[in-house]
Amino acid sequence: MAQYDVIIIGGGPGGYNAAIRAGQLGLKVVCVDKGIDGGDTLGGTCLNVGCMPSKALLHASEMFAAANTEFATLGIEVTPKLNLPQMMKQKADSVGALTKGIEFLFKKNKVDRVRGAGKIVGPGKVEVTGPDGAVTTLDAKDIVIATGSLPSGLPGVEVDQKRIVDSTGALTLPEVPGHLVVIGAGIIGLELGSVWRRLGAKVTVVEFLDRITPGMDAEMAKTFQRALTKQGMEFKLGSKVTGAKTSKTGVTLTYEPVAGGAAETLQADYVLLAIGRKPFTDGLGLESVGITPDKRGFIETDHWKTSAPGVWAIGDVTHGPMLAHKAEEESVACIETIAGKAGHVNYGIIPSVVYTSPEVAWVGKTEEELKAEGRAYKAGKFPFTANSRAKINHETEGFVKVLADATTDEILGAHLIGPQVSEMVGEYAVAMEFRAASEDVARTCHPHPTRSEALRQAAMGVEGWTMQA
Ligand code: FAD
Ligand code: NAI
């Protein structure tokens, strides 16, 4: 039986980062990963069928759309032609390189890797069934569960990955749909809906709630929906899907108003079901150590410790936002705690990004959350129409909003919508980690001309001295 300090089950952003950090701290560590859909690459959902392939298609399709609609303004005349197989190939090549990168990092940090499905069979014991059916038993003082999540299903809408797809199927459609119907106006639906709309599909989004992207500041969500509608995306809000009938050539989807009313149908070439994800613990043997997941399937933890001594859980399989950087953050904190250090995650400062066009990025509290808490706050705003770099680039959509405590001026939230704001929100995350006041950002010299100046101008707005709008 192989003896380790730590066994990590799962090779996604939670698991692989935990393994690397454990190796760095001198722990004898093994990462057990069964791959995605029987594949043998590390990286979990994020690298194989999540963050990375979706961003590859978002980037390529954004370039295609720009060539179609924006280049002429810049004096560049082209007639772009879509080569979908090449677009898919460059995505697969990048993903392949990234997953190989993790293998390299494992070697560099002396992390052992075992392929196969891990099952906890008792305290400190994990049985791994390899792709060839061979069973290996591993033994360690600590076990970290990082088994991630899977797409949630919807009764009456059966995913066949042909006509009705989940996010994995939507990343590899064989053609541009004439009409793509997306169920769920969340992050996956809007990102992947954007990809196919830019490539030429008509896209209709059916959402249960009467707004898009729950969790996003309501003012940002309204602006965002307006921008997507302008691009041609159609929304059916407050609508619930009740069934789907598939034929060889398409799908008939039935939906009805949540508030009550007559059912209607939509004819689609493809349907993307994207109504959230659920934690994955099938076959993990949790019962052998007395762990019972909660009603929604999440493993409950206190500082990444489960109820079973020596068993820890991080990432999508436990509570909190289902984001790669949240999993990564927890992996470091969990391993540092195992190694006797002081692990820490600031759950109030985990940024969120929707990588559409415009992008939406935020960190900290929304206005709705602050109002619900009864916290007095001030807001400063700055539109990109008044930002010189955005103007010069003909990319003036969106704005920045900063929320700060009315008394102390501590920054409580920052909300950005516009091109490439994903690269800008980190500035506010750092400021908030240092518990900065909005005045700290307002009085920090920013380079000119950059979009980041909008961050400063919005901060100035908290005390009413925005200078450039
Ligand atoms: P996962 O990445 O799901 O990894 C779990 C791994 O464990 C998998 O390889 C799985 O096969 C393996 N496993 C499960 N059970 C066992 C077992 N018993 N034995 C061995 N191995 C096992 N997040 C972002 O932050 N930014 C984004 O842009 C983003 N885009 C996304 C786009 C899409 C389309 C999707 C679906 C998700 C996206 N996410 C994004 C979310 C992100 O992918 C997840 O939050 C992240 O992958 C969670 O990491 P994890 O390590 O907890 O789990
Ligand atoms: P989501 O939780 O973001 O959105 C799901 C949407 O579906 C919600 O608007 C919800 O109200 C709606 N919905 C639920 N049931 C419905 C029903 N029966 N009919 C119609 N609408 C319904 O989930 P999504 O988009 O599936 O993404 C899952 C997770 O993956 C995200 O929460 C996020 O954590 C992660 N992710 C992150 C990305 C990023 O960081 N850029 C990109 C993609 C995914």
Side-chain angles (χ1 to χ4, degrees):
M1 187 185 298
Q3 180 71 43
Y4 288 92
D5 293 319
V6 194
I7 301 167
I8 289 156
I9 310 180
Y16 78 73
N17 281 298
I20 291 168
R21 189 71 188 120
Q24 282 181 339
L25 293 176
L27 298 172
K28 190 165 161 48
V29 57
V30 59
C31 180
V32 179
D33 186 52
K34 68 183 178 65
I36 298 290
D37 298 329
D40 65 358
T41 49
L42 288 163
T45 303
C46 179
L47 268 71
N48 292 285
V49 291
C51 326
M52 302 324 300
S54 61
K55 264 78 264 177
L57 290 184
L58 278 156
H59 176 69
S61 62
E62 190 174 350
M63 296 291 103
F64 181 70
N68 263 318
T69 58
E70 290 166 34
F71 279 17
T73 314
L74 304 175
I76 307 166
E77 298 201 351
V78 290
T79 312
K81 185 167 165 260
L82 179 64
N83 179 346
L84 190 59
Q86 170 57 24
M87 199 176 275
M88 292 294 174
K89 182 183 175 297
Q90 60 84 32
K91 173 196 69 170
D93 289 348
S94 304
V95 166
L98 288 168
T99 58
K100 280 264 171 302
I102 297 176
E103 283 178 31
F104 163 78
L105 291 171
F106 273 15
K107 284 193 189 114
K108 182 177 165 197
N109 292 287
K110 301 191 170 56
V111 175
D112 284 351
R113 173 190 178 190
V114 176
R115 286 187 186 150
K119 179 177 181 182
I120 303 173
V121 289
K125 287 203 176 8
V126 173
E127 240 175 47
V128 186
T129 308
D132 57 358
V135 176
T136 320
T137 306
L138 307 171
D139 192 87
K141 196 169 131 294
D142 291 286
I143 298 171
V144 178
I145 300 171
T147 49
S149 62
L150 285 180
S152 301
L154 181 65
V157 183
E158 198 166 323
V159 171
D160 58 11
Q161 301 296 22
K162 288 193 178 92
R163 290 286 160 183
I164 303 183
V165 297
D166 60 19
S167 54
T168 301
L171 289 165
T172 52
L173 292 183
E175 59 180 355
V176 178
H179 186 199
L180 173 68
V181 175
V182 176
I183 309 177
I187 307 192
I188 291 182
L190 299 182
E191 285 189 354
L192 296 180
S194 288
V195 165
W196 293 106
R197 188 206 55 74
R198 291 167 184 169
L199 299 182
K202 171 181 156 70
V203 176
T204 307
V205 184
V206 184
E207 164 63 46
F208 187 83
L209 300 174
D210 58 6
R211 58 162 290 172
I212 66 166
T213 47
M216 183 186 285
D217 182 278
E219 182 186 17
M220 308 310 282
K222 266 205 185 115
T223 309
F224 184 34
Q225 188 184 337
R226 214 177 302 132
L228 294 172
T229 304
K230 213 167 79 192
Q231 293 164 13
M233 216 180 249
E234 283 182 29
F235 290 93
K236 301 209 177 288
L237 301 184
S239 300
K240 97 176 155 211
V241 171
T242 48
K245 257 209 182 109
T246 312
S247 72
K248 263 204 182 121
T249 54
V251 185
T252 307
L253 207 66
T254 316
Y255 69 98
E256 57 189 46
V258 173
E264 292 186 51
T265 58
L266 275 169
Q267 206 56 47
D269 298 291
Y270 293 89
V271 168
L272 163 59
L273 180 65
I275 58 165
R277 294 177 61 85
K278 54 177 189 210
F280 180 71
T281 56
D282 289 3
L284 193 55
L286 291 178
E287 60 291 345
S288 72
V289 284
I291 298 174
T292 312
D294 73 7
K295 268 194 224 136
R296 294 167 60 211
F298 289 100
I299 299 180
E300 289 176 294
T301 57
D302 177 8
H303 290 81
W304 324 289
K305 266 188 196 128
T306 69
S307 57
V311 183
W312 309 71
I314 56 172
D316 281 10
V317 78
T318 184
H319 290 274
M322 287 182 161
L323 296 173
H325 44 282
K326 177 263 194 184
E328 176 183 349
E329 202 63 8
E330 289 184 330
S331 73
V332 173
C334 174
I335 294 296
E336 291 189 348
T337 307
I338 288 173
K341 294 174 172 286
H344 175 71
V345 174
N346 187 346
Y347 286 96
I349 309 183
I350 295 177
S352 295
V353 176
V354 190
Y355 294 83
T356 42
S357 177
E359 290 184 340
V360 190
W362 68 99
V363 58
K365 307 261 173 157
T366 63
E367 289 205 54
E368 293 70 48
E369 285 169 335
L370 291 174
K371 281 179 188 147
E373 282 175 16
R375 184 134 182 202
Y377 68 92
K378 289 186 181 177
K381 270 199 222 173
F382 190 78
F384 282 108
T385 44
N387 173 269
S388 54
R389 184 68 181 276
K391 248 189 155 65
I392 285 294
N393 288 1
H394 307 280
E395 294 175 332
T396 53
E397 195 164 30
F399 63 95
V400 177
K401 173 164 83 175
V402 178
L403 308 173
D405 186 279
T407 311
T408 65
D409 194 31
E410 180 176 351
I411 301 165
L412 303 174
H415 302 270
L416 293 69
I417 178 163
Q420 291 160 36
V421 293
S422 57
E423 299 292 353
M424 286 160 53
V425 73
E427 173 175 333
Y428 269 96
V430 173
M432 288 170 73
E433 280 290 356
F434 282 89
R435 302 196 66 178
S438 77
E439 188 178 357
D440 292 318
V441 176
R443 293 193 184 276
T444 298
C445 185
H446 284 64
H448 175 76
T450 61
R451 287 194 188 88
S452 72
E453 288 174 285
L455 300 178
R456 181 187 191 187
Q457 294 287 328
M460 288 171 162
V462 172
E463 287 301 327
W465 62 291
T466 294
M467 292 171 67
Q468 291 165 5

PDB file of all heavy atoms in Angstrom, residues 381-410:
ATOM      1  N   LYS A 381     -19.739  56.839  -9.934  1.00  0.00           N
ATOM      2  CA  LYS A 381     -19.876  56.159 -11.235  1.00  0.00           C
ATOM      3  C   LYS A 381     -19.095  56.910 -12.290  1.00  0.00           C
ATOM      4  O   LYS A 381     -18.970  58.137 -12.216  1.00  0.00           O
ATOM      5  CB  LYS A 381     -21.345  56.196 -11.652  1.00  0.00           C
ATOM      6  CG  LYS A 381     -22.151  55.035 -11.181  1.00  0.00           C
ATOM      7  CD  LYS A 381     -23.395  54.967 -12.035  1.00  0.00           C
ATOM      8  CE  LYS A 381     -24.606  54.660 -11.226  1.00  0.00           C
ATOM      9  NZ  LYS A 381     -25.822  54.755 -11.999  1.00  0.00           N
ATOM     10  N   PHE A 382     -18.637  56.153 -13.280  1.00  0.00           N
ATOM     11  CA  PHE A 382     -17.968  56.814 -14.412  1.00  0.00           C
ATOM     12  C   PHE A 382     -18.225  56.024 -15.690  1.00  0.00           C
ATOM     13  O   PHE A 382     -17.968  54.822 -15.737  1.00  0.00           O
ATOM     14  CB  PHE A 382     -16.465  56.915 -14.149  1.00  0.00           C
ATOM     15  CG  PHE A 382     -15.759  57.781 -15.158  1.00  0.00           C
ATOM     16  CD1 PHE A 382     -15.831  59.172 -15.064  1.00  0.00           C
ATOM     17  CD2 PHE A 382     -15.047  57.215 -16.207  1.00  0.00           C
ATOM     18  CE1 PHE A 382     -15.190  59.984 -15.995  1.00  0.00           C
ATOM     19  CE2 PHE A 382     -14.405  58.031 -17.144  1.00  0.00           C
ATOM     20  CZ  PHE A 382     -14.476  59.406 -17.038  1.00  0.00           C
ATOM     21  N   PRO A 383     -18.745  56.708 -16.732  1.00  0.00           N
ATOM     22  CA  PRO A 383     -19.052  55.993 -17.975  1.00  0.00           C
ATOM     23  C   PRO A 383     -17.831  55.920 -18.897  1.00  0.00           C
ATOM     24  O   PRO A 383     -17.027  56.853 -18.937  1.00  0.00           O
ATOM     25  CB  PRO A 383     -20.122  56.887 -18.617  1.00  0.00           C
ATOM     26  CG  PRO A 383     -19.791  58.264 -18.144  1.00  0.00           C
ATOM     27  CD  PRO A 383     -19.135  58.127 -16.796  1.00  0.00           C
ATOM     28  N   PHE A 384     -17.704  54.829 -19.646  1.00  0.00           N
ATOM     29  CA  PHE A 384     -16.583  54.714 -20.595  1.00  0.00           C
ATOM     30  C   PHE A 384     -16.710  55.709 -21.760  1.00  0.00           C
ATOM     31  O   PHE A 384     -15.742  55.975 -22.438  1.00  0.00           O
ATOM     32  CB  PHE A 384     -16.443  53.272 -21.102  1.00  0.00           C
ATOM     33  CG  PHE A 384     -15.781  52.374 -20.092  1.00  0.00           C
ATOM     34  CD1 PHE A 384     -16.510  51.424 -19.406  1.00  0.00           C
ATOM     35  CD2 PHE A 384     -14.434  52.503 -19.799  1.00  0.00           C
ATOM     36  CE1 PHE A 384     -15.916  50.608 -18.453  1.00  0.00           C
ATOM     37  CE2 PHE A 384     -13.816  51.698 -18.849  1.00  0.00           C
ATOM     38  CZ  PHE A 384     -14.567  50.747 -18.172  1.00  0.00           C
ATOM     39  N   THR A 385     -17.914  56.275 -21.945  1.00  0.00           N
ATOM     40  CA  THR A 385     -18.048  57.291 -23.015  1.00  0.00           C
ATOM     41  C   THR A 385     -17.149  58.489 -22.705  1.00  0.00           C
ATOM     42  O   THR A 385     -16.784  59.242 -23.599  1.00  0.00           O
ATOM     43  CB  THR A 385     -19.502  57.807 -23.132  1.00  0.00           C
ATOM     44  OG1 THR A 385     -19.995  58.037 -21.813  1.00  0.00           O
ATOM     45  CG2 THR A 385     -20.401  56.860 -23.879  1.00  0.00           C
ATOM     46  N   ALA A 386     -16.804  58.669 -21.414  1.00  0.00           N
ATOM     47  CA  ALA A 386     -15.979  59.820 -21.042  1.00  0.00           C
ATOM     48  C   ALA A 386     -14.510  59.427 -20.849  1.00  0.00           C
ATOM     49  O   ALA A 386     -13.712  60.240 -20.404  1.00  0.00           O
ATOM     50  CB  ALA A 386     -16.529  60.439 -19.758  1.00  0.00           C
ATOM     51  N   ASN A 387     -14.163  58.202 -21.173  1.00  0.00           N
ATOM     52  CA  ASN A 387     -12.782  57.720 -20.999  1.00  0.00           C
ATOM     53  C   ASN A 387     -12.058  57.818 -22.339  1.00  0.00           C
ATOM     54  O   ASN A 387     -12.525  57.299 -23.349  1.00  0.00           O
ATOM     55  CB  ASN A 387     -12.829  56.266 -20.486  1.00  0.00           C
ATOM     56  CG  ASN A 387     -11.460  55.613 -20.443  1.00  0.00           C
ATOM     57  OD1 ASN A 387     -11.041  54.988 -21.406  1.00  0.00           O
ATOM     58  ND2 ASN A 387     -10.776  55.764 -19.331  1.00  0.00           N
ATOM     59  N   SER A 388     -10.924  58.508 -22.343  1.00  0.00           N
ATOM     60  CA  SER A 388     -10.283  58.832 -23.622  1.00  0.00           C
ATOM     61  C   SER A 388      -9.836  57.586 -24.386  1.00  0.00           C
ATOM     62  O   SER A 388      -9.990  57.500 -25.599  1.00  0.00           O
ATOM     63  CB  SER A 388      -9.112  59.780 -23.401  1.00  0.00           C
ATOM     64  OG  SER A 388      -8.233  59.232 -22.447  1.00  0.00           O
ATOM     65  N   ARG A 389      -9.291  56.577 -23.687  1.00  0.00           N
ATOM     66  CA  ARG A 389      -8.822  55.376 -24.371  1.00  0.00           C
ATOM     67  C   ARG A 389     -10.000  54.633 -25.020  1.00  0.00           C
ATOM     68  O   ARG A 389      -9.914  54.174 -26.163  1.00  0.00           O
ATOM     69  CB  ARG A 389      -8.104  54.463 -23.382  1.00  0.00           C
ATOM     70  CG  ARG A 389      -7.482  53.222 -24.000  1.00  0.00           C
ATOM     71  CD  ARG A 389      -6.314  53.600 -24.908  1.00  0.00           C
ATOM     72  NE  ARG A 389      -5.702  52.443 -25.544  1.00  0.00           N
ATOM     73  CZ  ARG A 389      -4.777  51.672 -24.978  1.00  0.00           C
ATOM     74  NH1 ARG A 389      -4.354  51.933 -23.752  1.00  0.00           N
ATOM     75  NH2 ARG A 389      -4.260  50.657 -25.621  1.00  0.00           N
ATOM     76  N   ALA A 390     -11.105  54.539 -24.272  1.00  0.00           N
ATOM     77  CA  ALA A 390     -12.285  53.857 -24.792  1.00  0.00           C
ATOM     78  C   ALA A 390     -12.810  54.594 -26.027  1.00  0.00           C
ATOM     79  O   ALA A 390     -13.198  53.972 -27.021  1.00  0.00           O
ATOM     80  CB  ALA A 390     -13.363  53.789 -23.718  1.00  0.00           C
ATOM     81  N   LYS A 391     -12.795  55.916 -25.961  1.00  0.00           N
ATOM     82  CA  LYS A 391     -13.286  56.742 -27.084  1.00  0.00           C
ATOM     83  C   LYS A 391     -12.429  56.534 -28.330  1.00  0.00           C
ATOM     84  O   LYS A 391     -12.929  56.311 -29.423  1.00  0.00           O
ATOM     85  CB  LYS A 391     -13.213  58.216 -26.682  1.00  0.00           C
ATOM     86  CG  LYS A 391     -14.558  58.865 -26.520  1.00  0.00           C
ATOM     87  CD  LYS A 391     -14.372  60.372 -26.338  1.00  0.00           C
ATOM     88  CE  LYS A 391     -15.596  61.105 -26.762  1.00  0.00           C
ATOM     89  NZ  LYS A 391     -16.756  60.839 -25.941  1.00  0.00           N
ATOM     90  N   ILE A 392     -11.117  56.584 -28.134  1.00  0.00           N
ATOM     91  CA  ILE A 392     -10.170  56.421 -29.243  1.00  0.00           C
ATOM     92  C   ILE A 392     -10.347  55.044 -29.897  1.00  0.00           C
ATOM     93  O   ILE A 392     -10.233  54.887 -31.104  1.00  0.00           O
ATOM     94  CB  ILE A 392      -8.722  56.585 -28.702  1.00  0.00           C
ATOM     95  CG1 ILE A 392      -8.420  58.046 -28.439  1.00  0.00           C
ATOM     96  CG2 ILE A 392      -7.682  55.969 -29.615  1.00  0.00           C
ATOM     97  CD1 ILE A 392      -8.380  58.908 -29.674  1.00  0.00           C
ATOM     98  N   ASN A 393     -10.628  54.049 -29.076  1.00  0.00           N
ATOM     99  CA  ASN A 393     -10.795  52.675 -29.584  1.00  0.00           C
ATOM    100  C   ASN A 393     -12.213  52.384 -30.069  1.00  0.00           C
ATOM    101  O   ASN A 393     -12.513  51.258 -30.450  1.00  0.00           O
ATOM    102  CB  ASN A 393     -10.454  51.656 -28.480  1.00  0.00           C
ATOM    103  CG  ASN A 393      -8.975  51.591 -28.193  1.00  0.00           C
ATOM    104  OD1 ASN A 393      -8.199  52.315 -28.799  1.00  0.00           O
ATOM    105  ND2 ASN A 393      -8.582  50.743 -27.273  1.00  0.00           N
ATOM    106  N   HIS A 394     -13.103  53.346 -30.005  1.00  0.00           N
ATOM    107  CA  HIS A 394     -14.523  53.151 -30.372  1.00  0.00           C
ATOM    108  C   HIS A 394     -15.150  52.042 -29.534  1.00  0.00           C
ATOM    109  O   HIS A 394     -15.888  51.206 -30.032  1.00  0.00           O
ATOM    110  CB  HIS A 394     -14.672  52.827 -31.870  1.00  0.00           C
ATOM    111  CG  HIS A 394     -14.000  53.816 -32.753  1.00  0.00           C
ATOM    112  ND1 HIS A 394     -14.560  55.033 -33.077  1.00  0.00           N
ATOM    113  CD2 HIS A 394     -12.799  53.788 -33.373  1.00  0.00           C
ATOM    114  CE1 HIS A 394     -13.721  55.708 -33.852  1.00  0.00           C
ATOM    115  NE2 HIS A 394     -12.647  54.972 -34.049  1.00  0.00           N
ATOM    116  N   GLU A 395     -14.818  52.008 -28.246  1.00  0.00           N
ATOM    117  CA  GLU A 395     -15.360  50.976 -27.346  1.00  0.00           C
ATOM    118  C   GLU A 395     -15.891  51.648 -26.079  1.00  0.00           C
ATOM    119  O   GLU A 395     -15.329  51.494 -24.993  1.00  0.00           O
ATOM    120  CB  GLU A 395     -14.257  49.972 -26.962  1.00  0.00           C
ATOM    121  CG  GLU A 395     -13.765  49.158 -28.118  1.00  0.00           C
ATOM    122  CD  GLU A 395     -12.597  48.247 -27.758  1.00  0.00           C
ATOM    123  OE1 GLU A 395     -11.823  48.587 -26.830  1.00  0.00           O
ATOM    124  OE2 GLU A 395     -12.445  47.207 -28.416  1.00  0.00           O
ATOM    125  N   THR A 396     -16.955  52.412 -26.238  1.00  0.00           N
ATOM    126  CA  THR A 396     -17.379  53.271 -25.128  1.00  0.00           C
ATOM    127  C   THR A 396     -18.549  52.706 -24.322  1.00  0.00           C
ATOM    128  O   THR A 396     -19.088  53.377 -23.456  1.00  0.00           O
ATOM    129  CB  THR A 396     -17.783  54.646 -25.674  1.00  0.00           C
ATOM    130  OG1 THR A 396     -18.741  54.429 -26.714  1.00  0.00           O
ATOM    131  CG2 THR A 396     -16.600  55.419 -26.185  1.00  0.00           C
ATOM    132  N   GLU A 397     -18.929  51.461 -24.620  1.00  0.00           N
ATOM    133  CA  GLU A 397     -20.058  50.885 -23.901  1.00  0.00           C
ATOM    134  C   GLU A 397     -19.683  50.631 -22.429  1.00  0.00           C
ATOM    135  O   GLU A 397     -18.581  50.194 -22.137  1.00  0.00           O
ATOM    136  CB  GLU A 397     -20.408  49.545 -24.563  1.00  0.00           C
ATOM    137  CG  GLU A 397     -21.750  49.014 -24.165  1.00  0.00           C
ATOM    138  CD  GLU A 397     -22.209  47.920 -25.116  1.00  0.00           C
ATOM    139  OE1 GLU A 397     -21.335  47.215 -25.674  1.00  0.00           O
ATOM    140  OE2 GLU A 397     -23.433  47.773 -25.290  1.00  0.00           O
ATOM    141  N   GLY A 398     -20.615  50.905 -21.522  1.00  0.00           N
ATOM    142  CA  GLY A 398     -20.436  50.490 -20.131  1.00  0.00           C
ATOM    143  C   GLY A 398     -19.965  51.574 -19.191  1.00  0.00           C
ATOM    144  O   GLY A 398     -19.760  52.728 -19.574  1.00  0.00           O
ATOM    145  N   PHE A 399     -19.797  51.183 -17.940  1.00  0.00           N
ATOM    146  CA  PHE A 399     -19.398  52.133 -16.894  1.00  0.00           C
ATOM    147  C   PHE A 399     -18.813  51.387 -15.691  1.00  0.00           C
ATOM    148  O   PHE A 399     -18.860  50.154 -15.626  1.00  0.00           O
ATOM    149  CB  PHE A 399     -20.587  53.004 -16.467  1.00  0.00           C
ATOM    150  CG  PHE A 399     -21.731  52.241 -15.852  1.00  0.00           C
ATOM    151  CD1 PHE A 399     -21.851  52.108 -14.475  1.00  0.00           C
ATOM    152  CD2 PHE A 399     -22.722  51.668 -16.656  1.00  0.00           C
ATOM    153  CE1 PHE A 399     -22.911  51.411 -13.906  1.00  0.00           C
ATOM    154  CE2 PHE A 399     -23.790  50.967 -16.100  1.00  0.00           C
ATOM    155  CZ  PHE A 399     -23.880  50.840 -14.719  1.00  0.00           C
ATOM    156  N   VAL A 400     -18.273  52.160 -14.775  1.00  0.00           N
ATOM    157  CA  VAL A 400     -17.731  51.611 -13.522  1.00  0.00           C
ATOM    158  C   VAL A 400     -18.527  52.207 -12.372  1.00  0.00           C
ATOM    159  O   VAL A 400     -18.841  53.400 -12.391  1.00  0.00           O
ATOM    160  CB  VAL A 400     -16.239  52.003 -13.368  1.00  0.00           C
ATOM    161  CG1 VAL A 400     -15.689  51.508 -12.030  1.00  0.00           C
ATOM    162  CG2 VAL A 400     -15.414  51.464 -14.524  1.00  0.00           C
ATOM    163  N   LYS A 401     -18.840  51.384 -11.386  1.00  0.00           N
ATOM    164  CA  LYS A 401     -19.559  51.874 -10.201  1.00  0.00           C
ATOM    165  C   LYS A 401     -18.816  51.404  -8.958  1.00  0.00           C
ATOM    166  O   LYS A 401     -18.514  50.216  -8.819  1.00  0.00           O
ATOM    167  CB  LYS A 401     -20.980  51.307 -10.221  1.00  0.00           C
ATOM    168  CG  LYS A 401     -21.786  51.609  -8.966  1.00  0.00           C
ATOM    169  CD  LYS A 401     -23.274  51.389  -9.164  1.00  0.00           C
ATOM    170  CE  LYS A 401     -23.688  49.958  -8.986  1.00  0.00           C
ATOM    171  NZ  LYS A 401     -25.149  49.769  -9.075  1.00  0.00           N
ATOM    172  N   VAL A 402     -18.515  52.333  -8.067  1.00  0.00           N
ATOM    173  CA  VAL A 402     -17.820  51.995  -6.830  1.00  0.00           C
ATOM    174  C   VAL A 402     -18.742  52.300  -5.658  1.00  0.00           C
ATOM    175  O   VAL A 402     -19.367  53.366  -5.625  1.00  0.00           O
ATOM    176  CB  VAL A 402     -16.529  52.843  -6.688  1.00  0.00           C
ATOM    177  CG1 VAL A 402     -15.825  52.524  -5.375  1.00  0.00           C
ATOM    178  CG2 VAL A 402     -15.603  52.583  -7.850  1.00  0.00           C
ATOM    179  N   LEU A 403     -18.827  51.368  -4.724  1.00  0.00           N
ATOM    180  CA  LEU A 403     -19.667  51.563  -3.545  1.00  0.00           C
ATOM    181  C   LEU A 403     -18.761  51.621  -2.320  1.00  0.00           C
ATOM    182  O   LEU A 403     -17.905  50.749  -2.141  1.00  0.00           O
ATOM    183  CB  LEU A 403     -20.656  50.394  -3.405  1.00  0.00           C
ATOM    184  CG  LEU A 403     -21.487  50.062  -4.652  1.00  0.00           C
ATOM    185  CD1 LEU A 403     -22.298  48.787  -4.440  1.00  0.00           C
ATOM    186  CD2 LEU A 403     -22.417  51.236  -5.000  1.00  0.00           C
ATOM    187  N   ALA A 404     -18.941  52.658  -1.502  1.00  0.00           N
ATOM    188  CA  ALA A 404     -18.077  52.799  -0.322  1.00  0.00           C
ATOM    189  C   ALA A 404     -18.916  53.153   0.896  1.00  0.00           C
ATOM    190  O   ALA A 404     -19.982  53.765   0.774  1.00  0.00           O
ATOM    191  CB  ALA A 404     -17.036  53.887  -0.578  1.00  0.00           C
ATOM    192  N   ASP A 405     -18.418  52.756   2.073  1.00  0.00           N
ATOM    193  CA  ASP A 405     -19.133  53.031   3.319  1.00  0.00           C
ATOM    194  C   ASP A 405     -19.304  54.552   3.486  1.00  0.00           C
ATOM    195  O   ASP A 405     -18.352  55.321   3.309  1.00  0.00           O
ATOM    196  CB  ASP A 405     -18.333  52.461   4.497  1.00  0.00           C
ATOM    197  CG  ASP A 405     -19.089  52.573   5.795  1.00  0.00           C
ATOM    198  OD1 ASP A 405     -19.078  53.674   6.411  1.00  0.00           O
ATOM    199  OD2 ASP A 405     -19.719  51.581   6.196  1.00  0.00           O
ATOM    200  N   ALA A 406     -20.526  54.952   3.857  1.00  0.00           N
ATOM    201  CA  ALA A 406     -20.837  56.385   3.927  1.00  0.00           C
ATOM    202  C   ALA A 406     -20.025  57.081   5.009  1.00  0.00           C
ATOM    203  O   ALA A 406     -19.717  58.267   4.894  1.00  0.00           O
ATOM    204  CB  ALA A 406     -22.331  56.580   4.190  1.00  0.00           C
ATOM    205  N   THR A 407     -19.618  56.372   6.037  1.00  0.00           N
ATOM    206  CA  THR A 407     -18.887  57.010   7.140  1.00  0.00           C
ATOM    207  C   THR A 407     -17.382  56.838   6.988  1.00  0.00           C
ATOM    208  O   THR A 407     -16.627  57.803   7.036  1.00  0.00           O
ATOM    209  CB  THR A 407     -19.324  56.382   8.492  1.00  0.00           C
ATOM    210  OG1 THR A 407     -20.745  56.358   8.518  1.00  0.00           O
ATOM    211  CG2 THR A 407     -18.791  57.168   9.668  1.00  0.00           C
ATOM    212  N   THR A 408     -16.934  55.581   6.784  1.00  0.00           N
ATOM    213  CA  THR A 408     -15.483  55.325   6.785  1.00  0.00           C
ATOM    214  C   THR A 408     -14.862  55.445   5.398  1.00  0.00           C
ATOM    215  O   THR A 408     -13.651  55.485   5.271  1.00  0.00           O
ATOM    216  CB  THR A 408     -15.192  53.897   7.281  1.00  0.00           C
ATOM    217  OG1 THR A 408     -15.745  52.973   6.324  1.00  0.00           O
ATOM    218  CG2 THR A 408     -15.788  53.647   8.653  1.00  0.00           C
ATOM    219  N   ASP A 409     -15.671  55.430   4.363  1.00  0.00           N
ATOM    220  CA  ASP A 409     -15.213  55.462   2.965  1.00  0.00           C
ATOM    221  C   ASP A 409     -14.550  54.144   2.518  1.00  0.00           C
ATOM    222  O   ASP A 409     -13.996  54.053   1.428  1.00  0.00           O
ATOM    223  CB  ASP A 409     -14.257  56.652   2.741  1.00  0.00           C
ATOM    224  CG  ASP A 409     -14.021  56.939   1.263  1.00  0.00           C
ATOM    225  OD1 ASP A 409     -14.941  56.688   0.459  1.00  0.00           O
ATOM    226  OD2 ASP A 409     -12.914  57.398   0.910  1.00  0.00           O
ATOM    227  N   GLU A 410     -14.587  53.089   3.358  1.00  0.00           N
ATOM    228  CA  GLU A 410     -14.016  51.801   2.933  1.00  0.00           C
ATOM    229  C   GLU A 410     -14.773  51.311   1.691  1.00  0.00           C
ATOM    230  O   GLU A 410     -16.005  51.378   1.632  1.00  0.00           O
ATOM    231  CB  GLU A 410     -14.145  50.763   4.061  1.00  0.00           C
ATOM    232  CG  GLU A 410     -13.554  49.415   3.646  1.00  0.00           C
ATOM    233  CD  GLU A 410     -13.566  48.377   4.769  1.00  0.00           C
ATOM    234  OE1 GLU A 410     -13.878  48.725   5.922  1.00  0.00           O
ATOM    235  OE2 GLU A 410     -13.260  47.206   4.457  1.00  0.00           O
TER     236      GLU A 410
END
